[in-house]
Amino acid sequence: MNWTAIAAIYRNEMVRFFRTLGQSFLSPVISTSLYFVVFGAAIGSRIEEVDGVPYGAFIVPGLIMLSVMTQGMTNASFGIYFPKFLGSIYEVLSAPVNFLEIVIGYVGAAATKALFIGVMILATSALFVELTIAHPLAMVLFLVLTSVSFSLTGFIIGIWARNFEQLQLIPLLVVTPLVFLGGSFYSISMLPSFWQTVTLFNPVVYLISGFRWAFFGHADVPVVLSLLAIAGFTCACVVFVAWIFRTGWRLRD
Amino acid sequence: MTSILSIKDLRKTYHGGFEALRGATLDIREGEILALLGPNGAGKTTLISTVCGITKLTSGSVSVGGFDIQSDYRAARSLIGLVPQELTLEPFETVFNTVRLSRGLFGKRRNDALLESVLKKLSLWDKRNSQIRELSGGMKRRVLIAKALSHEPRLLFLDEPTAGVDVELRKDMWDVVADLRNSGVTVILTTHYIEEAEAMADRIAVIAKGEILLVEDKDHLMRQMGQKELEVQLTASLDAVPDALSAYDLQLGAEGRSLIYTYDTRAERTGITALLNDVAAAGLTLADVQTRQSSLEDIFVTLVNDARPQEAAQ
Ligand SMILES: Nc1ncnc2c1ncn2[C@@H]1O[C@H](COP(=O)(O)OP(=O)(O)OP(=O)(O)O)[C@@H](O)[C@H]1O
Ligand SMILES: [Mg+2]
């Protein structure tokens, strides 16, 4: 393993992040506060409790997941698409590095940023509602796995995309609906039984359910299933990225 | 002499079927400077990109420092520095950061003193904290060179290093290349300025339509293919070449004040002695005599033009 190269890529990506630290810091704080005003105060005043948890607190895990997923994906897809677009990718392609080192550098940085934003949202939420975390270690595990797997997905999208429209396409058309329908703001048990079954085909449900379990000790689907789902998804992404670099798909002419 | 780069029967067909390299073979000796000349679209950049691993080869083999670029890509690539033809840099990065990134990418330990000396040599030290977007085109080109030098390559590719660089800076660049050569780095450069190849290179390779047409020692090439011109300046002006001299293929110089004789340096007899005798016999008085050797540019144009009819026939 060429750790020097990994560190170089990671560091360079993080510099980009720190350059816009103000934005990176402010936007999650503001959007979280807005969610609390709309969902917590307005809707929450009508829905008192879900699964024995006050509605304001109930939406916190979903809110965090929503941002970690979208941020991880956008950061990673942009992080690799931008050099591809500018042509500066030539350097990575001609460097003595293998695919794993490139992925660890780029995806690691994107996941770090996503994690940072997740933590920001958690901290902001604590200002609005009272939070207890039942299984802190599991919470961290879910958070890390989610940010890594969605950053990996973003990385793949960034390599696949040939223009800026395509870069936005999958996050907008596929991921956002899945995330919103994944139980971020409600419990699956609140749906009619037909839709409960449909929902089980949505991978995001497993993530949010597992993550919510880490907070409140109550899950829609078995926690082990959640962990297996996300681990399997991550592995599939890694295999796909390995294939990309072996064949040079959309990277090397 | 060991070869640092060995390219054998390299072929590259792009998606869509265009064959940009058609069996190129080239051996580069360690420590030499090779100028790769060829018209637009000849395949120079494709050749370089393939050696560096940016494009995949279709067939053939390439080894750098004895390491195969596919099976031993780590060892091979760590020896190579590349300055690409296009100005491909991230606009918001600072000069120092981007140079440090290059060094790290190639697995070299952090060495700020070395980076400082590289930046100073390329007159970029004052700009080290500037963002790339604040630099001029010539400065960006030098940042690309600094990036390539930051990881101490043994083989350096310069793909049109002086395109868009002013005359003074171009001379500086030549000095940088001379320095590199003194420190043992092998340099392969492409250029459309033939005087540049003439000034810097030890050997010249000519590529056209994906084939290497020739690789030759520069001096040898110029001697071998060179035509020389002899200009005989006269004290009085002429209206036409005198009949007494019609046996020679002469041209009248500016304002009829000189006669120009073209001869081949390779010929056994150049015919100069006879010509000068006959000029005197014709009653003309010599004011001065000059000779000129044809430039690489002429040689290059001749070569590429010679290659064209063959292709048309194929
Ligand atoms: N990515 C690509 N896909 C398809 N064809 C390509 C690609 N890159 C280059 N070519 C084609 O391959 C040929 C050689 O291009 P190349 O860039 O190697 O030429 P060059 O000798 O560097 O020219 P120049 O002096 O203009 O830089 C050209 O006909 C070009 O159109
Ligand atoms: Mg070129």
Side-chain angles (χ1 to χ4, degrees):
Chain A
M1 273 299 211
N2 184 348
W3 290 104
T4 320
I6 296 175
I9 297 174
Y10 181 86
R11 185 201 161 94
N12 204 56
E13 286 299 295
M14 292 309 282
V15 166
R16 203 206 312 272
F17 180 55
F18 284 117
R19 208 165 35 222
T20 54
L21 194 63
Q23 277 161 264
S24 317
F25 189 81
L26 260 182
S27 55
V29 173
I30 292 178
S31 59
T32 309
S33 307
L34 285 176
Y35 273 114
F36 273 107
V37 171
V38 176
F39 284 96
I43 299 176
S45 60
R46 286 155 200 262
I47 309 169
E48 306 244 300
E49 281 192 346
V50 182
D51 299 334
V53 179
Y55 188 70
F58 178 84
I59 63 169
V60 171
L63 265 184
I64 295 174
M65 276 300 193
L66 185 65
S67 294
V68 167
M69 287 170 189
T70 47
Q71 287 287 333
M73 188 171 284
T74 358
N75 287 331
S77 62
F78 191 75
I80 190 74
Y81 179 78
F82 196 48
K84 222 180 66 167
F85 174 74
L86 291 171
S88 55
I89 187 104
Y90 85 86
E91 197 168 30
V92 174
L93 296 180
S94 63
V97 291
N98 65 17
F99 95 92
L100 210 56
E101 290 152 356
I102 297 176
V103 170
I104 295 175
Y106 277 103
V107 171
T112 307
K113 299 174 204 175
L115 269 179
F116 169 83
I117 285 163
V119 171
M120 285 303 307
I121 293 174
L122 185 61
T124 313
S125 307
L127 301 177
F128 288 89
V129 291
E130 213 171 300
L131 276 176
T132 48
I133 300 169
H135 310 281
L137 268 181
M139 187 210 78
V140 172
L141 183 67
F142 269 109
L143 209 54
V144 170
L145 279 173
T146 306
S147 49
V148 168
S149 58
F150 275 75
S151 298
L152 266 170
T153 314
F155 187 77
I156 294 170
I157 293 170
I159 290 175
W160 165 79
R162 290 199 202 272
N163 50 50
F164 279 98
E165 285 73 33
Q166 290 187 343
L167 197 62
Q168 315 276 10
L169 203 66
I170 294 197
L172 214 64
L173 280 186
V174 182
V175 179
T176 310
L178 285 184
V179 169
F180 270 92
L181 301 174
S184 308
F185 303 111
Y186 53 87
S187 165
I188 304 299
S189 57
M190 293 159 77
L191 295 173
S193 66
F194 170 73
W195 288 108
Q196 282 191 30
T197 315
V198 170
T199 305
L200 292 181
F201 290 99
N202 179 354
V204 175
V205 165
Y206 296 84
L207 297 182
I208 292 180
S209 161
F211 194 52
R212 193 174 282 139
W213 166 84
F215 276 81
F216 309 121
H218 181 278
D220 289 335
V221 290
V223 178
V224 179
L225 203 57
S226 293
L227 267 178
L228 282 179
I230 186 166
F233 181 57
T234 311
C235 287
C237 288
V238 172
V239 170
F240 190 49
V241 175
W243 173 84
I244 288 177
F245 277 89
R246 199 160 41 78
T247 60
W249 182 73
R250 303 236 167 150
L251 270 184
R252 290 186 164 96
D253 282 315
Chain B
M1 196 75 92
T2 49
S3 66
I4 178 98
L5 171 64
S6 168
I7 300 174
K8 286 204 186 67
D9 199 26
L10 182 62
R11 289 174 182 274
K12 171 65 192 177
T13 308
Y14 280 111
H15 300 293
F18 184 80
E19 200 174 13
L21 293 176
R22 310 191 207 172
T25 297
L26 188 61
D27 261 285
I28 310 294
R29 304 168 193 143
E30 173 121 49
E32 75 171 330
I33 297 182
L34 179 108
L36 184 60
L37 308 180
N40 288 134
K44 303 180 293 294
T45 302
T46 303
L47 183 87
I48 293 174
S49 303
T50 310
V51 173
C52 295
I54 296 166
T55 55
K56 291 178 299 177
L57 56 79
T58 307
S59 70
S61 70
V62 179
S63 68
V64 179
F67 302 108
D68 185 82
I69 59 158
Q70 287 179 299
S71 57
D72 241 340
Y73 69 95
R74 263 197 214 262
R77 287 185 198 169
S78 62
L79 302 176
I80 305 176
L82 166 64
V83 179
Q85 179 174 3
E86 309 285 338
L87 296 173
T88 44
L89 287 160
E90 295 203 14
F92 297 105
E93 243 169 4
T94 65
V95 171
F96 197 79
N97 276 346
T98 191
V99 173
R100 191 167 52 185
L101 167 70
S102 304
R103 188 173 168 83
L105 264 179
F106 278 73
K108 294 277 161 71
R109 233 168 249 283
R110 185 171 170 173
N111 182 347
D112 288 353
L114 178 105
L115 299 189
E116 181 176 339
S117 81
V118 167
L119 289 175
K120 280 186 172 157
K121 195 155 69 184
L122 292 161
S123 324
L124 285 169
W125 183 242
D126 294 340
K127 297 280 178 189
R128 64 189 177 279
N129 294 320
S130 305
Q131 291 188 346
I132 300 295
R133 66 191 172 91
E134 299 162 348
L135 304 183
S136 75
M139 290 173 189
K140 286 180 192 153
R141 174 91 43 209
R142 280 178 283 148
V143 171
L144 287 172
I145 297 176
K147 281 168 78 72
L149 295 182
S150 73
H151 50 85
E152 304 163 274
R154 261 173 63 198
L155 172 63
L156 180 68
F157 287 100
L158 295 168
D159 201 351
E160 298 193 25
T162 54
V165 168
D166 68 33
V167 178
E168 197 181 338
L169 267 175
R170 190 174 298 167
K171 295 275 155 58
D172 285 353
M173 206 82 88
W174 297 2
D175 290 342
V176 170
V177 172
D179 273 2
L180 284 170
R181 176 182 206 247
N182 291 336
S183 61
V185 178
T186 310
V187 179
I188 298 176
L189 61 93
T190 75
T191 176
H192 288 286
Y193 301 105
I194 308 236
E195 74 271 17
E196 199 160 273
E198 226 170 312
M200 285 196 276
D202 300 313
R203 285 202 301 163
I204 309 275
V206 176
I207 181 172
K209 306 248 171 161
E211 281 176 273
I212 306 274
L213 299 179
L214 151 151
V215 189
E216 193 69 85
D217 184 72
K218 181 188 64 186
D219 298 327
H220 184 70
L221 180 70
M222 293 182 60
R223 242 180 292 121
Q224 192 186 43
M225 307 211 36
Q227 299 234 304
K228 255 183 151 172
E229 271 180 6
L230 175 75
E231 184 169 7
V232 180
Q233 282 166 354
L234 307 166
T235 49
S237 66
L238 299 173
D239 296 327
V241 177
D243 287 342
L245 299 175
S246 61
Y248 304 92
D249 186 16
L250 294 177
Q251 282 172 312
L252 212 53
E255 294 167 32
R257 295 191 68 103
S258 67
L259 291 167
I260 296 166
Y261 174 58
T262 309
Y263 62 99
D264 197 329
T265 48
R266 286 171 295 179
E268 227 164 83
R269 305 183 70 97
T270 56
I272 296 175
T273 322
L275 171 73
L276 291 181
N277 283 336
D278 287 347
V279 168
L284 302 172
T285 317
L286 305 187
D288 199 0
V289 176
Q290 274 183 350
T291 65
R292 273 192 301 270
Q293 179 127 30
S294 65
S295 69
L296 255 179
E297 183 146 10
D298 306 326
I299 298 173
F300 170 69
V301 169
T302 314
L303 250 179
V304 172
N305 284 339
D306 281 355
R308 275 185 185 141
Q310 290 170 14
E311 270 153 23
Q314 275 168 12

